[in-house]
Structure formats: C-alpha cells, structure tokens
Amino acid sequence: MRIIMVLAFLFCVSGIGAWLYLDHWLNTPRQLDAAVTVDLPLGLGTMDIGQALQAAGVIDQPWLFFAAVKLGREQRALRAGEYQFKPGQTPAEVIEAMRTGAVLLHPVTVPEGRTVKEAYAILAGYDFLSGDLPPLPPEGTLLPETYLVARGTTRAQLVKRMASDMQRLLDSVWNSRPAGYPLAAPLQLLTLASIIERETAKADEYPLVAAVFLNRLQRGMRLQTDPTVIYGLADGMGSIGRPLTRADLASDTPFNTYKIDGLPPGPIANPGKKALMAAVRPAAVDYVYFVADGSGGHVFASTLQEHNRNVANWRKIESAKDALQQGGQVPAAPTDAQPPPAGPPPTDAQPPPAGPPPAEMQQSQPSE
C-alpha cells in the first residue's frame, strides 16, 4: 500500500512538473530576429504543422506544440492559411492565432476613377488572389478602396464584396440628399459622381465641380465634359492614349456630352466616397465654367467673360511651360488687366456645332 502511495505521489509530481514545463514553454517568447511568414495548407496534421513552424523558426519543440494543441481539444481546431509571426510571440499566442484564423491579410488597392475594365485589370495582377474574374458588372458599381484579403481569396469573392460595398454606400449617400435635390435617381447620382471623379484629382475641388455640372443641368446647358467623350471612345478603358480631336468631340456616342443633353446614360468610372458626397452636397456657388490653372487644379467662373479671361491666362501659362521645355524665352506673366477676347470662348475644346460654351477645358487640347 505504501509503495502504491509513493508511486502515485511520484506520478503526480512528475505530471505537475511536466505541466509546469509545458506552461513555461507555452509562455516563453521565441527569439525571432524578424517577422516570419508561414503558409499552412489544408490537410496538414498537428505534428506536420509543428514541424513546419519549427523549420520557420517560430517554435523549437514540435512535440510540445503537439501536446499543447491536443490538451486543448475543447478549444477550436487550428485553421489553415498564411500566417505572419512576429518577434516576441509566444507558442501560446501562435496557437491562439491559428485557432482564431488570424491569417495574414494583403492589401488590394483599386484607385478612385477607374472603370470596371481597369479595375478588373488591377485585380488580375494580384497573384495572391485566386480564380477567374466573373463577368463584368455594370460600370460604376465597384467601390474603389483598399481591401485587406487573405491569400487564396477568389477574385469573384472580392468583386462581390466591392459591388456590395458600393451599393451600400450609394444607398446611404442617396438617402442623405437634401430636400429639392435635382437628380431623380441613385443611378444619376452615381453617374454625376463618376464625372466629378474623372474631372479633377483634387478632392477639395469635388464640391465645386459638382456645383458647375448641377448648375449647368438646371440651366439647360450641356455638360460638355471631355471625360465623357473619352469614355465613349475608349471601350471602357478610361483613356484613348492621345489628345482629343475636334472629330472626337463630334463623335456620335451616347456618352458625348458635347452632343447630348443632360447626363450620359450611366457612369463613366467607379467613383469614391468623396465624389459621391460632393455630388449630393455641392458647393453653394453659381459657377458654370472651369479651366485648368496650370498647377493641377482649376479656376472657376460664373460668367463667360470671367471664363474667357481664365482660359487666356491658362494658355499663357501653358505657353510659358512650352518655352521653358524648348529652352526659349518665357512670355510675360498674364495679368487680369489684359482685356478678354471678344466673341465666343477662346477654347479649342469647343465642338463644331453651336451651343453653350464648354464647362471646362482639359490641358491636352483637341488637335486637328
């Protein structure tokens, strides 16, 4: 009887010692010099995972890892995936990360103002995404954003998420529109926001550009905006790879706002949140014209006379840039004291048919 008691005591002591040793191991950080990424595919057993972690330097005792996982069977099983383990993490933290599926997330960035075809080209270039792209969705229906996704996420899953996020945002913005808002449907809001997105790269100008186009719509003026012409000619790719010509501005496409009244039939790109908000909350101004200012922004005008002067100043700025590039003399700086030219607005962007002067003029002027 005494021998049995002694053996039982020794067994208990050894068991306690083993547990204390395992607990010490679980809570002692592994000395990693830098973060380590380990890809653990489906189908690996617990010991296989432990050996893979040992090979990567994340743990040093795969048998202890195996024992710790098996003793914690009441908890969630380890999940496959790509993990990044950082210096200072303990084996207990490693196991917990794998039980919760805290896999490494990769950024996927689709910038604002890209068409759906351009967005698809971007998604096709990320090698950590899997699967084929689904059929193209309607233009403007993918929210441009930086998405964090796990390796192996399918492109179809991400496209579905982008479309869902855009619909959710569009509904929210549309429901926030003020009383008396002039557009009649969310699609028109999305279309206007896409034009704003393509017209300027400066977010602080979005409300001003929105005001110009809404003012023109309410006054019965054509929008006459170059990005809509480009979209109609570029087969959804956002660029034609050359300056616009007079023939381009006279082209018969449903998106040519030099020839059609009102908004085009749909978006010309995927707008972001700021452009959507600007479209529903335009600046309280009476501007109906704008032109590039030569520094990446625009100057706005309420009257044709102001617009003529702004266009003349812009042309002088462009002439000065050309002279500097060619090593010639720089023309005298323009001043507001110079009289504006008489007659119609001095812009090569004006199409052959008569009509209201264009709202804007791109830096790449139409050429013959």
Side-chain angles (χ1 to χ4, degrees):
M1 186 68 176
R2 182 178 294 178
I3 293 175
I4 294 175
M5 292 178 63
V6 169
L7 290 175
F9 174 76
L10 292 175
F11 181 78
C12 289
V13 169
S14 63
I16 292 171
W19 176 258
L20 290 174
Y21 182 77
L22 178 59
D23 184 70
H24 174 75
W25 179 81
L26 280 170
N27 292 286
T28 300
R30 179 70 174 162
Q31 297 302 312
L32 286 174
D33 294 329
V36 173
T37 300
V38 183
D39 192 8
L40 301 170
L42 284 170
L44 290 184
T46 304
M47 182 55 73
D48 295 327
I49 294 173
Q51 291 172 342
L53 294 175
Q54 181 189 37
V58 178
I59 63 171
D60 60 351
Q61 299 287 342
W63 279 106
L64 291 177
F65 175 85
F66 178 87
V69 172
K70 293 305 179 183
L71 288 171
R73 277 185 175 178
E74 73 282 357
Q75 302 184 47
R76 286 167 287 181
L78 303 183
R79 300 175 64 179
E82 184 182 30
Y83 293 88
Q84 186 176 78
F85 302 108
K86 300 178 181 179
Q89 279 187 287
T90 66
E93 291 171 334
V94 169
I95 293 172
E96 181 62 17
M98 299 179 64
R99 280 186 169 137
T100 58
V103 296
L104 177 64
L105 298 179
H106 298 269
V108 175
T109 300
V110 177
E112 293 87 348
R114 300 298 195 271
T115 66
V116 291
K117 284 188 176 181
E118 291 175 311
Y120 266 37
I122 292 171
L123 297 183
Y126 283 101
D127 60 5
F128 51 80
L129 297 176
S130 65
D132 296 329
L133 286 158
L136 284 169
E139 187 63 78
T141 58
L142 302 180
L143 183 65
E145 186 61 87
T146 294
Y147 295 86
L148 297 177
V149 300
R151 179 177 294 277
T153 299
T154 69
R155 292 179 174 85
Q157 287 173 326
L158 184 52
V159 168
K160 183 178 180 180
R161 177 180 170 187
M162 295 171 70
S164 176
D165 286 355
M166 176 61 91
Q167 187 62 58
R168 189 179 304 110
L169 175 61
L170 179 60
D171 289 344
S172 174
V173 174
W174 176 253
N175 290 334
S176 74
R177 69 193 186 280
Y181 185 65
L183 300 185
L187 178 61
Q188 292 181 330
L189 169 63
L190 189 64
T191 300
L192 176 59
S194 72
I195 297 173
I196 295 167
E197 194 76 75
R198 295 288 293 182
E199 272 292 0
T200 178
K202 300 183 69 174
D204 60 341
E205 288 188 345
Y206 289 174
L208 295 171
V209 174
V212 168
F213 290 132
L214 286 170
N215 288 341
R216 290 177 76 90
L217 287 171
Q218 290 179 299
R219 297 184 190 186
M221 301 170 69
R222 288 180 175 173
L223 297 187
Q224 297 183 315
T225 167
D226 292 358
T228 61
V229 179
I230 292 170
Y231 185 81
L233 297 172
D235 190 30
M237 286 307 296
S239 172
I240 56 175
R242 58 171 175 78
L244 286 174
T245 66
R246 289 180 180 272
D248 294 332
L249 299 181
S251 60
D252 288 319
T253 78
F255 289 87
N256 186 350
T257 55
Y258 284 90
K259 298 196 70 175
I260 66 169
D261 296 328
L263 289 164
I268 61 171
N270 295 296
K273 180 177 181 179
K274 290 182 179 179
L276 281 163
M277 290 301 300
V280 81
R281 300 282 179 181
V285 293
D286 60 356
Y287 298 146
V288 287
Y289 308 102
F290 62 96
V291 67
D293 63 5
S295 65
H298 298 83
V299 286
F300 297 80
S302 302
T303 67
L304 179 57
Q305 184 180 34
E306 291 175 301
H307 183 58
N308 283 346
R309 185 166 60 249
N310 292 338
V311 170
N313 287 344
W314 174 80
R315 283 180 165 170
K316 287 184 178 292
I317 291 171
E318 290 300 294
S319 296
K321 288 181 180 179
D322 291 341
L324 284 174
Q325 291 175 354
Q326 298 171 10
Q329 291 185 339
V330 180
T335 67
D336 288 341
Q338 293 173 324
T347 165
D348 292 337
Q350 192 172 7
E360 50 80 28
M361 187 170 86
Q362 295 293 332
Q363 294 195 16
S364 56
Q365 300 180 65
S367 56
E368 296 293 351

